[in-house]
């Protein structure tokens, strides 16, 4: 059996990074992001990246640190509202952006992982999203053709894994991670817990190890909260 477990993020990414590559990065906001792998990519200095991710982290954390280091050339995303630097770089022309409706982005990734080159959806027809894309009528309704997405590398965050790379995600941290794990030419995963082969409940495995090339137990997880919202304390 191939030894998939590596000692750290640098070793896990060794030989996989190159300028101009496309990377899928799991997560939704700051939930379920592969923060250790992102930090290693920053240290590697790989540039001119196209990054496929729901959003681009926040200023100073998550994918935001790659923006700060000017390593990202293009983002394929559905939401960018929490990052001021993203806005500045886009408006100045330093950063390309391919906007997607969120469900369309998820399906494009799923389709890419399933070997489906394209599909039709009603979402976005008649809007800027559909400009330059093929449209077609089905049963009296107009649809937009969207291409499946794949990447040179998928970086994924899971909760638990065994040495074979079978993965379990925790609650909403599952988000985009399972689809991206299937859509990369290489998939590298960071986890919070690494258990012995056979310790995972087979019925609870979300991503089979066949999709995983390398994995690490993350050195640390900050798990920041994007926006803390609390109610004022009620007075008697």
């Amino acid at each position: 059996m191939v030894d998939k477990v590596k000692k750290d993020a640098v070793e896990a990414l060794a030989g996989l990074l190159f300028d101009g590559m496309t990377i899928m990065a799991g997560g939704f906001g700051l939930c379920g992001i592969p923060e250790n792998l992102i930090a290693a990519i920053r240290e590697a200095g790989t540039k001119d990246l196209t990054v496929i991710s729901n959003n681009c982290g926040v200023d100073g954390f998550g994918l935001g640190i790659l923006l700060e280091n000017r390593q990202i050339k293009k983002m394929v995303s559905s939401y960018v509202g929490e990052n001021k630097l993203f806005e500045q770089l886009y408006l100045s022309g330093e950063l390309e952006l391919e906007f997607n409706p969120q469900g369309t982005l998820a399906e494009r990734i799923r389709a890419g992982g399933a070997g489906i080159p394209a599909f039709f959806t009603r979402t976005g027809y008649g809007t800027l999203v559909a400009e330059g894309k093929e449209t077609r009528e089905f049963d009296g309704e107009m649809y937009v053709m969207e291409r499946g997405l794949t990447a040179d590398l998928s970086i994924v965050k899971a909760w638990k894994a065994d040495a074979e790379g079978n993965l379990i995600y925790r609650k909403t941290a599952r988000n985009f991670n399972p689809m991206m794990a299937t859509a990369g030419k290489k998939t590298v995963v960071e986890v919070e817990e690494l258990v012995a082969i056979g310790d995972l409940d087979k019925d609870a495995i979300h991503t089979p190890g066949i999709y995983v090339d390398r994995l690490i137990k993350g050195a640390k997880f900050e798990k920041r909260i994007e926006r803390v919202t609390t109610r004022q304390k009620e007075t008697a």
Side-chain angles (χ1 to χ4, degrees), residues 78-201:
S78 73
Y79 178 71
V80 296
E82 299 296 331
N83 196 311
K84 293 179 181 178
L85 179 60
F86 191 116
E87 178 185 21
Q88 294 168 4
L89 293 177
Y90 174 65
L91 292 177
S92 68
E94 294 182 64
L95 179 69
E96 296 177 49
L97 171 62
E98 184 179 329
F99 240 155
N100 295 255
Q102 196 165 85
T104 299
L105 179 63
E107 182 62 10
R108 290 183 72 190
I109 297 167
R110 190 202 69 81
I116 299 169
F119 60 91
F120 284 91
T121 175
R122 289 177 62 187
T123 305
Y125 177 76
T127 73
L128 291 174
V129 170
E131 283 193 358
K133 298 176 182 176
E134 181 181 341
T135 59
R136 193 176 299 182
E137 182 179 341
F138 294 94
D139 302 321
E141 298 284 352
M142 294 303 299
Y143 289 74
V144 182
M145 190 182 82
E146 297 282 359
R147 295 295 306 270
L149 288 171
T150 57
D152 299 300
L153 172 67
S154 289
I155 54 174
V156 168
K157 161 73 191 311
W159 176 39
K160 288 185 179 182
D162 62 20
E164 291 182 326
N166 297 303
L167 308 178
I168 295 176
Y169 308 94
R170 189 171 186 272
K171 299 184 178 180
T172 56
R174 192 187 310 185
N175 52 63
F176 282 83
N177 283 296
M179 296 90 79
M180 289 185 173
T182 70
K185 293 178 183 176
K186 295 290 184 181
T187 295
V188 180
V189 182
E190 63 180 71
V191 299
E192 296 179 45
E193 296 183 32
L194 189 58
V195 302
I197 294 173
D199 281 1
L200 297 179
D201 178 356

Side-chain angles (χ1 to χ4, degrees), residues 12-82:
L13 293 170
L16 301 180
L17 301 177
F18 57 91
D19 293 347
M21 70 185 301
T22 297
I23 297 176
M24 285 186 180
F28 185 100
L30 299 181
C31 179
I33 66 169
E35 52 191 274
N36 291 277
L37 293 169
I38 292 170
I41 292 171
R42 185 186 190 281
E43 292 306 309
T46 315
K47 60 183 185 296
D48 295 328
L49 299 173
T50 295
V51 177
I52 301 168
S53 187
N54 181 66
N55 58 290
C56 199
V58 296
D59 295 291
F61 190 65
L63 290 171
I65 65 175
L66 300 185
L67 279 182
E68 288 180 354
N69 213 31
R70 302 301 193 270
Q71 290 173 256
I72 300 177
K73 178 184 69 174
K74 178 180 179 179
M75 286 296 304
V76 181
S77 301
S78 73
Y79 178 71
V80 296
E82 299 296 331

Side-chain angles (χ1 to χ4, degrees), residues 3-12 214-219:
D3 185 9
K4 298 181 180 182
V5 181
K6 306 302 176 183
K7 67 177 181 179
D8 56 29
V10 173
E11 184 178 72
R214 302 177 186 177
L215 67 136
I216 60 165
K217 183 176 180 181

